Amino acid sequence: MKKKIAIETPETEKKMKKLKEPKVKEEENDLEVKKSKKKRKASELQLEEEERSETSSELVEPVDVKEKKKKKKAKVEEEEEEDEGKSEDPNAISRFRISEALREKLKSKGIESLFPIQALTFDIILDGTDLVGRARTGQGKTLAFVLPILESLTNGPAKTSRKTGYGRAPSVLVLLPTRELAKQVFEDFEVYGEVLGLTSCCLYGGAPYHTQEMKLKRGVDIVVGTPGRIKDHIERGNVHLGSLKFRVLDEADEMLRMGFVDDVELILSKVDDASKVQTLLFSATLPDWVKGIAARFLKASKKTVDLVGNEKMKASTNVRHIVLPCSKSARSQLIPDIIRCYSSGGRTIIFTETKDSASELAGLLPGSRALHGDIQQAQREVTLNGFRSGKFMTLVATNVAARGLDINDVQLIIQCEPPRDVEAYIHRSGRTGRAGNTGVAVMLYDPKRSNISKIERESGVKFEHVSAPQPVDIAKSAGVEAAKIITQVSDSVIPAFKSVAQELLETSGLSAEDLLAKALAKASGYSEIRSRSLLTSMENHVTLLLEAGKPIYTVSFVFGVLKRFLPEEKVQSVQGLTLTADGMGAVFDVAEEDVETFLTGAENAANVSVEVLKKGLPRLQERDLSRGRFGDGRGGFGDRSGSGGRFSGGKGGRGGFSDRRNVRFSNGSGGGRGRYNSKKW
Ligand SMILES: Nc1ncnc2c1ncn2[C@@H]1O[C@H](COP(=O)(O)OP(=O)(O)OP(=O)(O)O)[C@@H](O)[C@H]1O
């Protein structure tokens, strides 16, 4: 059984590097180190010689020659250190069969050493074996297949038999689930393949056929694209896959889901002789059902390198995974404060379940842009390029941006609600915390309709439960920023504003501090500070905890208790009523101006206590969405109106009771082969 090593933290990575001692490379490396030592010895001898001659001709030798020799000596010493380095890092690129040109290109990109998934799969791929590769998000899976494929085509087994010349058929086919991801992987092949004289093209929908046809006509070595457009080009006779040497399914589990697998199967079957093609599958998630389907495309001799394996933690370990209760209506007010709290100026990606909610939310968040499948392709490219280049820092997207996208300095991921399956959670949260960086993933949830524990169970994540950042806390940090800015304002402005300031002091009835506090608030964009409830994050609402001195089994019981000491309209104003996990209480939101009514009423009611929650929510009952239509029915309930929306006591009669007959649960798709409608994105 191959030892599976979880590689995420720098410590484990260092341990990994120590562990990984590629056998074949050792001899080569020693040889190389010996060669460079000999070279260095020769230059040292030459230097000594020159120094000897130098002493005799001190007066004659110009200064710059001396400088040159100093530099040469320093270079020799530097090479010495470098050699030492080589012998230490088992994953140094010099230890692998990577050609000099490609090595130089990698170094120009700051890459001197391979990541574990790359080091562990490089030889397997270069030596011609089919492979299933899995590593957590952001661990370099793309180069894990790009580098050995390029080396095989130019210096390895695929070199002699690959097609060359004008109009050549491609040697490599890489399939991806989204256009953005196809373009990203294409760019890697383009950048690294170019130095080895290989050309690539990218075939994806929404882009003009003609340019793609022209490239194919001229002949390319590597085709990267999405299944739909590639299938079109096959049917139009623009591309022939009979001579493929490699076929790669990146995000393999996604590519083999319903909605993709038929096109993928058709495309992969176009090879003349599958025994002559190497097949590689990569993903950060490989649910059990994938293995059965994948076997259809892989040779029996295939190898698996799984750096996640049976590890409990399937998601990125470089990410803080946070959950925060928030009703749908409070999202647009709360999200800017979450960004202020958890992103230190980097990029933020916000995920929504549908295209409409992505567009709607982007419209409510100043400075953000939407990315989803209903947006014209040209606009999608402008938006993504703008986000990558920092023209704007907040992207609101559907799952079209969930997988693979590698965007620099994404510090925060916000998911507006728990995704339908754990793979979506792992990939979305993996847009941050990449290549050893850290990040924060905040998942909003409606306390009564969440499947947090299911995601925790299946992803191995242990969520940090936090309440909504209170506006007063945000304002404090914003005020500090404003104060810094104000002190930097030039004194030249004082004469123009001093008289108004004095008049304001005399007429406002406020102290100088209070007036300055208002000025700082205004400079920070605040005209008022509203409280925010812990349960639904709604502004001007307060969360109350009710206990009745005995276990509470149903929501209707709580409404019955409230009706004993409150008028009907106050009972109906209750928002988000949810039972506590210990079954001894219930929490709900009320308007700030009604708090006194509820507290006073409870004081006069027997065996009832109501208190304002200030510090945090108790653990609440969840409904396990994966149990299908009616869930367990105990703590679960929905809105009788059938909207499945946020629970409230209002809207016609006794809405929202745990009445099995009338409750509609959203049907969790579970982790299986849920019907994937990529059009949905
Ligand atoms: N050996 C390396 N050294 C330094 N950086 C690297 C190395 N390999 C890849 N990277 C960088 O790491 C980042 C993540 O790489 P990549 O997108 O391939 O990750 P991934 O494992 O495919 O992630 P996901 O599962 O989300 O698709 C990229 O910015 C890439 O340039």
Side-chain angles (χ1 to χ4, degrees), residues 32 82 86 92-94 98 100-113 192:
E32 203 167 287
E82 210 181 82
K86 270 183 205 151
I93 54 178
S94 55
I98 297 175
E100 189 56 31
L102 192 46
R103 212 179 292 170
E104 287 311 309
K105 191 66 185 174
L106 286 165
K107 282 182 184 169
S108 73
K109 298 281 183 187
I111 295 179
E112 305 265 354
S113 173
Y192 294 106

Side-chain angles (χ1 to χ4, degrees), residues 615-671:
K615 284 293 166 212
L617 285 173
R619 286 309 290 261
L620 303 176
Q621 284 184 25
E622 281 183 40
R623 183 184 54 239
D624 182 355
L625 298 180
S626 63
R627 295 205 191 168
R629 264 180 74 69
F630 291 105
D632 58 3
R634 273 197 302 280
F637 48 85
D639 177 326
R640 276 176 81 136
S641 64
S643 68
R646 187 169 43 73
F647 180 84
S648 64
K651 288 208 279 321
R654 303 167 54 240
F657 290 95
S658 64
D659 173 338
R660 274 174 170 275
R661 285 164 299 153
N662 298 304
V663 165
R664 193 174 67 83
F665 290 92
S666 66
N667 174 25
S669 64

Side-chain angles (χ1 to χ4, degrees), residues 292-506:
I293 299 186
R296 289 178 358 212
F297 307 109
L298 294 160
K299 301 185 188 77
S301 59
K302 77 169 182 314
K303 289 195 176 160
T304 298
V305 173
D306 184 348
L307 296 189
V308 181
N310 298 325
E311 296 283 333
K312 185 168 171 14
M313 180 56 161
K314 313 290 183 198
S316 173
T317 55
N318 298 331
V319 172
R320 268 183 76 192
H321 296 273
I322 294 173
V323 284
L324 194 159
C326 176
S327 66
K328 188 164 191 270
S329 56
R331 284 176 195 161
S332 55
Q333 299 155 349
L334 176 62
I335 285 175
D337 285 347
I338 293 177
I339 294 173
R340 282 194 192 99
C341 262
Y342 292 103
S343 163
S344 33
R347 290 174 180 75
T348 298
I349 301 179
I350 301 169
F351 286 102
T352 65
E353 285 303 301
T354 66
K355 296 176 266 191
D356 290 347
S357 44
S359 295
E360 183 189 339
L361 188 57
L364 295 172
L365 295 174
S368 70
R369 297 282 189 291
L371 180 70
H372 58 69
D374 279 357
I375 294 172
Q376 284 299 318
Q377 182 54 29
Q379 182 55 49
R380 279 168 64 166
E381 291 175 14
V382 167
T383 298
L384 192 56
N385 293 339
F387 187 55
R388 284 186 191 275
S389 63
K391 284 198 177 62
F392 62 93
M393 302 302 275
T394 303
L395 182 70
V396 185
T398 57
N399 274 339
V400 73
R403 282 177 177 255
L405 284 189
D406 184 69
I407 296 163
N408 187 37
D409 197 26
V410 172
Q411 291 178 0
L412 174 62
I413 297 294
I414 299 174
Q415 299 185 62
C416 288
E417 53 190 283
R420 290 175 182 281
D421 58 52
V422 68
E423 286 81 20
Y425 178 83
I426 292 170
H427 285 279
R428 288 174 172 185
S429 57
R431 290 320 96 209
T432 186
R434 300 173 68 74
N437 296 308
T438 56
V440 178
V442 175
M443 183 167 76
L444 306 181
Y445 69 98
D446 185 332
K448 308 160 311 305
R449 301 172 48 81
S450 68
N451 54 342
I452 295 174
S453 43
K454 179 172 176 291
I455 292 179
E456 271 191 327
R457 203 171 46 249
E458 295 179 7
S459 68
V461 162
K462 191 75 197 109
F463 285 115
E464 286 177 54
H465 286 255
V466 301
S467 301
Q470 289 306 312
V472 63
D473 304 327
I474 309 290
K476 280 176 189 162
S477 59
V480 170
E481 286 307 308
K484 278 185 210 149
I485 293 166
I486 284 182
T487 50
Q488 288 154 8
V489 172
S490 157
D491 291 353
S492 63
V493 303
I494 292 174
F497 290 86
K498 190 158 188 171
S499 55
V500 171
Q502 278 159 342
E503 189 187 340
L504 199 52
L505 259 175
E506 285 148 19

Side-chain angles (χ1 to χ4, degrees), residues 173 175 247 249 263-271 297:
L173 171 70
L175 292 178
R247 52 191 192 179
L249 292 186
D263 285 353
V264 167
E265 196 151 20
L266 180 138
I267 293 167
L268 297 186
S269 67
K270 293 297 179 189
V271 295
F297 307 109

Side-chain angles (χ1 to χ4, degrees), residues 6-300:
I7 312 294
E8 297 305 327
T9 58
E11 294 66 40
T12 45
E13 208 148 292
K14 255 192 224 115
K15 189 169 47 174
M16 170 62 217
K17 284 181 176 170
K18 287 271 172 298
L19 281 175
K20 166 81 190 127
E21 275 297 332
K23 292 289 163 290
V24 179
K25 291 335 130 288
E26 219 146 51
E27 296 79 47
E28 275 187 15
N29 179 57
D30 293 349
L31 196 62
E32 203 167 287
V33 170
K34 280 198 189 90
K35 252 193 279 176
S36 61
K37 278 191 172 133
K38 208 184 284 175
K39 199 174 76 178
R40 199 171 51 254
K41 192 76 198 138
S43 33
E44 278 166 358
L45 286 173
Q46 188 191 351
L47 267 174
E48 278 160 22
E49 186 51 41
E50 283 162 5
E51 271 163 13
R52 263 200 297 283
S53 64
E54 189 173 271
T55 45
S56 61
S57 53
E58 189 99 63
L59 302 177
V60 180
E61 196 166 61
V63 172
D64 66 341
V65 172
K66 216 181 262 177
E67 274 311 303
K68 234 184 254 169
K69 281 176 193 152
K70 262 196 207 135
K71 282 198 182 112
K72 198 168 179 182
K73 192 166 185 191
K75 189 166 178 353
V76 166
E77 278 154 15
E78 192 188 297
E79 276 170 9
E80 197 160 49
E81 276 158 36
E82 210 181 82
D83 284 348
E84 287 316 306
K86 270 183 205 151
S87 59
E88 274 159 32
D89 179 2
N91 292 348
I93 54 178
S94 55
R95 287 174 156 273
F96 293 85
R97 288 172 280 170
I98 297 175
S99 49
E100 189 56 31
L102 192 46
R103 212 179 292 170
E104 287 311 309
K105 191 66 185 174
L106 286 165
K107 282 182 184 169
S108 73
K109 298 281 183 187
I111 295 179
E112 305 265 354
S113 173
L114 296 187
F115 280 168
I117 187 65
Q118 297 160 358
L120 288 165
T121 57
F122 186 87
D123 289 346
I124 295 170
I125 296 172
L126 188 55
D127 294 340
T129 306
D130 282 8
L131 175 98
V132 178
R134 181 184 180 195
R136 290 187 182 83
T137 52
Q139 299 301 308
K141 292 185 287 296
T142 308
L143 289 187
F145 58 81
V146 168
L147 298 179
I149 286 176
L150 294 176
E151 281 301 331
S152 177
L153 291 173
T154 52
N155 302 303
K159 177 180 180 182
T160 48
S161 55
R162 74 177 171 88
K163 299 292 183 199
T164 55
Y166 186 86
R168 64 188 176 282
S171 302
V172 183
L173 171 70
V174 186
L175 292 178
L176 296 114
T178 66
R179 301 167 177 178
E180 285 75 14
L181 198 39
K183 287 192 72 184
Q184 180 178 292
V185 171
F186 157 73
E187 268 142 35
D188 274 343
F189 270 109
E190 185 89 326
V191 162
Y192 294 106
E194 193 183 18
V195 297
L196 299 176
L198 297 172
T199 57
S200 309
C201 79
C202 195
L203 308 179
Y204 56 91
Y209 274 96
H210 182 66
T211 39
Q212 296 174 3
E213 278 173 30
M214 288 302 106
K215 273 197 116 175
L216 290 168
K217 209 180 192 62
R218 284 199 295 275
V220 288
D221 302 297
I222 298 139
V223 168
V224 183
T226 50
R229 180 54 68 94
I230 288 176
K231 202 175 118 194
D232 288 350
H233 278 298
I234 291 172
E235 285 160 0
R236 293 176 179 216
N238 297 334
V239 65
H240 300 283
L241 302 179
S243 321
L244 283 183
K245 299 290 158 210
F246 290 92
R247 52 191 192 179
V248 183
L249 292 186
D250 194 4
E251 305 301 342
D253 55 324
E254 185 55 27
M255 299 309 290
L256 295 173
R257 266 187 201 279
M258 290 164 80
F260 273 125
V261 66
D262 300 341
D263 285 353
V264 167
E265 196 151 20
L266 180 138
I267 293 167
L268 297 186
S269 67
K270 293 297 179 189
V271 295
D272 292 341
D273 177 356
S275 68
K276 293 196 171 64
V277 186
Q278 225 176 310
T279 304
L280 312 176
L281 272 57
F282 277 90
S283 181
T285 51
L286 287 175
D288 290 342
W289 58 266
V290 171
K291 296 180 180 104
I293 299 186
R296 289 178 358 212
F297 307 109
L298 294 160
K299 301 185 188 77

